[in-house]
Amino acid sequence: YVGPEYGIAKAINGQYENREDGRKAFIFKTAAGGTSLRDVDGAIGSTTGDWGNWYPRSLWEEGYKPNTATNTPENRATGYLYQLFVENFEKVYTELKDNGYAPVVKGLAWMQGEQDLPYPTQYEELIKTFIEDIRVDLAKITGDNTLQSMPFVIGNIAPTFGVYGNESVPAFNQMQARVAQAMGESVDTISAEDLVIVNPDGSKNGTDAYHFNCADAEILGE
């Protein structure tokens, strides 16, 4: 589905519209809802079972690589989405180059974590490793070593995710802020405090208690 990237596109259109050098902006996305950064298994037919998790590459067992060509109960969930992201990116990047473009990666936007809310301590180390791994892998594909310090922007979890005043959210968002501070100016967080999913009376501003409505997703992207 379309989410915050609609707002991202809206915000950057003005920087690229009618440029004399012909440069265009391009948003690449690989995503699946309800999935974890932690190494969590799931039954086929569930979100994690169908799409695996984002577990960072450098933490996989030696010799292991997710098989993204098939998905069966024997195909482990570990790092499935991570590998899918890298393979999809390489495919699109290569197609762009084959069609005469010279793609330059500007950064990565990350909006994930609701499935991992009860585990901020574990997540803190995993997201650092994820950022390091994905930077290395994109630098290898593109040949651009500057991507080993590319901008990485983390969208915070809304404090009204699931319920107004979700007690797990503050500690999780504080953890994300610590990660950004520890990793330097190239990593930052975006607050979602003003994007209300569940109101104080329990009513919802969108279709359910877990997702931003269209307007708020757009604001997050901008």
Side-chain angles (χ1 to χ4, degrees), residues 208-219:
D208 57 63
Y210 306 104
H211 296 91
F212 297 117
N213 61 31
C214 182
D216 285 352
E218 180 182 336
I219 290 170

Side-chain angles (χ1 to χ4, degrees), residues 56-133:
R57 169 190 48 75
S58 63
L59 300 180
W60 301 345
E61 295 177 4
E62 186 175 354
Y64 169 75
K65 181 180 178 181
N67 180 8
T68 56
T70 185
N71 194 26
T72 67
E74 292 76 30
N75 185 35
R76 294 172 58 188
T78 301
Y80 187 99
L81 265 173
Y82 184 100
Q83 183 65 24
L84 189 67
F85 179 95
V86 171
E87 291 179 6
N88 284 350
F89 174 83
E90 185 168 19
K91 180 175 184 290
V92 172
Y93 181 83
T94 301
E95 287 178 351
L96 285 169
K97 291 195 71 175
D98 289 346
N99 282 279
Y101 292 96
V104 178
V105 177
K106 292 293 188 178
L108 193 149
W110 177 253
M111 185 67 220
Q112 185 275 342
E114 289 90 346
Q115 287 293 317
D116 298 322
L117 273 177
Y119 309 96
T121 302
Q122 186 178 355
Y123 194 97
E124 186 164 358
E125 294 308 312
L126 287 175
I127 190 62
K128 289 177 183 177
T129 304
F130 178 89
I131 294 170
E132 292 167 354
D133 285 356

Side-chain angles (χ1 to χ4, degrees), residues 104-185:
V104 178
V105 177
K106 292 293 188 178
L108 193 149
W110 177 253
M111 185 67 220
Q112 185 275 342
E114 289 90 346
Q115 287 293 317
D116 298 322
L117 273 177
Y119 309 96
T121 302
Q122 186 178 355
Y123 194 97
E124 186 164 358
E125 294 308 312
L126 287 175
I127 190 62
K128 289 177 183 177
T129 304
F130 178 89
I131 294 170
E132 292 167 354
D133 285 356
I134 204 71
R135 283 172 163 176
V136 168
D137 288 345
L138 296 192
K140 183 178 179 181
I141 291 169
T142 61
D144 182 359
N145 286 327
T146 66
L147 297 188
Q148 296 194 42
S149 58
M150 72 173 180
F152 191 100
V153 181
I154 302 169
N156 282 157
I157 309 301
T160 53
F161 169 77
V163 63
Y164 187 83
N166 189 318
E167 294 181 355
S168 298
V169 170
F172 198 87
N173 286 346
Q174 289 165 14
M175 171 272 296
Q176 290 182 328
R178 288 197 303 272
V179 169
Q181 185 175 18
M183 300 196 74
E185 293 183 356

